[in-house]
Amino acid sequence: MDSSESSQGRLPWIEKYRPKSFLDIMGNEENVSRLSIFAQEGNLPNIIIAGPPGVGKTTTILCVARHLLGTSFKEAVLELNASNDRGIDVVRNRIKMFAQQKVTLPAGRHKLIILDEADSMTESAQQALRRTMELYSHSTRFALACNSSEKIIEPIQSRSAMLRFNKLSDAQILAKLLNVCNLENVTSTPDGLEAVVFTAQGDMRQALNNLQSTARASEQCARRMCSRFAMSHIRCWWQTCWSTAHKPSWKRPPKSCCSCGKRDTHPKTSLPTHFGSANR
Ligand SMILES: Nc1ncnc2c1ncn2[C@@H]1O[C@H](COP(=O)(O)OP(=O)(O)OP(=O)(O)O)[C@@H](O)[C@H]1O
Ligand SMILES: [Mg+2]
């Protein structure tokens, strides 16, 4: 295994399976397809993507940037997480300086400033941004992502195309979970997957995080106990716990945990607490 492969292995699944291509982005098809056309043809307008957490806003903007700017990505894209860099100084310094830098790009391509979580920028920072947007519109475009568009001042909204992303459907989340289970060799049950989909409530990030912590917890727990119990029974027990995870009594080990009938050989212990927190 080379170092990039092993670092891939250590990545959280939300990063490991973050779509790199528009085709892999689930849901919000109309908006994603509009952006993929801009990514191909260039002349991207300033955009604001608004919507609930974990539905692919940042992922989509990164796909646009990668497709639009290809090998120039490093020099032509400035990524700022506005919740850390939310003040006026960032607009005056980093954003302006980047906008002033000369980068040679093909026709129809512009430098791109990505402002993630833009709704946490202060009003004065947004006012300063409004002027910068206009001043450098010949060379620089802005892509803002936010949860609530009302927190973006009207003048910025009027200088941008607003794209609203919705929560993902259960079917879209399930399709991604099945795909990841397959790639990670995770054995799942329909009930277990249903519980993960249900708790995610349309948030793909939460679904993937819950899937990973469930799978990892299951593995660790199994390893600890495998000296005492046959692996196949532990797996049955865990899957039953998982499939009842959304019921109030799920933390107690089920009395009859699998169809194998060897109830007495199953561990009489409660689930690790981190499993519970992963299945809020
Ligand atoms: N539509 C999607 N299709 C496939 N995977 C997705 C999708 N949305 C989210 N994901 C997964 O969830 C992770 C987080 O997504 P992303 O960062 O794009 O969410 P976001 O909408 O920007 O959320 P936030 O509002 O919290 O910033 C991604 O890395 C990816 O693994
Ligand atoms: Mg985001």
Side-chain angles (χ1 to χ4, degrees):
M1 196 188 278
D2 68 21
S3 65
S4 70
E5 257 179 87
S6 67
S7 65
Q8 271 286 98
R10 283 196 300 271
L11 279 179
W13 290 354
I14 51 165
E15 286 310 328
K16 189 169 173 187
Y17 296 108
R18 189 192 282 273
K20 301 250 170 348
S21 133
F22 290 107
L23 291 175
D24 295 330
I25 299 175
M26 314 291 297
N28 293 294
E29 292 83 359
E30 217 173 286
N31 285 329
V32 173
S33 134
R34 270 179 75 187
L35 289 171
S36 74
I37 293 171
F38 280 120
Q40 259 172 31
E41 298 181 352
N43 285 324
L44 178 79
N46 295 317
I47 55 169
I48 300 174
I49 301 189
V55 297
K57 300 181 301 296
T58 303
T59 304
T60 306
I61 291 178
L62 290 173
C63 270
V64 171
R66 251 192 311 270
H67 284 76
L68 199 59
L69 295 157
T71 51
S72 308
F73 184 100
K74 255 195 169 161
E75 46 179 357
V77 177
L78 174 67
E79 249 186 289
L80 291 175
N81 183 322
S83 61
N84 300 327
D85 303 314
R86 70 183 96 195
I88 192 163
D89 288 347
V90 170
V91 180
R92 284 197 186 129
N93 302 326
R94 292 188 69 183
I95 293 181
K96 251 190 183 161
M97 265 169 58
F98 179 81
Q100 285 166 348
Q101 270 166 31
K102 207 162 166 45
V103 178
T104 311
L105 295 170
R109 301 296 193 259
H110 301 84
K111 286 181 290 176
L112 186 65
I113 298 181
I114 300 174
L115 290 171
D116 220 347
E117 300 171 34
D119 41 0
S120 45
M121 287 180 86
T122 59
E123 162 124 28
S124 55
Q126 291 192 39
Q127 292 292 356
L129 186 65
R130 150 197 187 173
R131 284 192 298 277
T132 312
M133 276 171 114
E134 236 158 38
L135 214 55
Y136 298 98
S137 60
H138 59 284
S139 66
T140 307
R141 297 294 149 88
F142 289 79
L144 280 63
C146 60
N147 294 129
S148 40
S149 60
E150 313 86 68
K151 292 193 187 148
I152 306 293
I153 60 169
E154 293 267 336
I156 292 184
Q157 290 195 36
S158 97
R159 286 164 174 75
S160 315
M162 176 74 74
L163 302 162
R164 295 190 189 279
F165 273 36
N166 297 315
K167 281 186 175 185
L168 301 174
S169 71
D170 287 355
Q172 287 159 347
I173 297 215
L174 181 63
K176 176 90 179 184
L177 293 181
L178 284 169
N179 182 244
V180 171
C181 282
N182 191 25
L183 294 167
E184 291 288 334
N185 267 328
V186 168
T187 317
S188 59
T189 63
D191 283 355
L193 286 176
E194 194 189 322
V196 175
V197 171
F198 175 80
T199 49
Q201 295 289 303
D203 176 339
M204 187 73 89
R205 182 194 288 118
Q206 173 145 56
L208 287 174
N209 275 334
N210 284 352
L211 181 72
Q212 184 171 17
S213 51
T214 308
R216 189 181 289 157
S218 155
E219 225 175 70
Q220 285 170 351
C221 186
R223 233 182 278 124
R224 270 206 306 276
M225 294 186 288
C226 66
S227 56
R228 291 175 54 207
F229 304 106
M231 204 58 195
S232 60
H233 298 304
I234 291 169
R235 199 168 293 132
C236 288
W237 168 74
W238 192 270
Q239 284 176 352
T240 311
C241 292
W242 193 20
S243 68
T244 56
H246 54 293
K247 293 178 185 156
S249 61
W250 69 272
K251 268 199 165 185
R252 255 174 280 128
K255 281 193 181 125
S256 165
C257 60
C258 70
S259 53
C260 71
K262 294 193 179 171
R263 193 182 129 179
D264 294 343
T265 61
H266 290 302
K268 291 189 169 55
T269 165
S270 56
L271 299 178
T273 47
H274 61 274
F275 179 79
S277 63
N279 280 279
R280 262 177 295 153

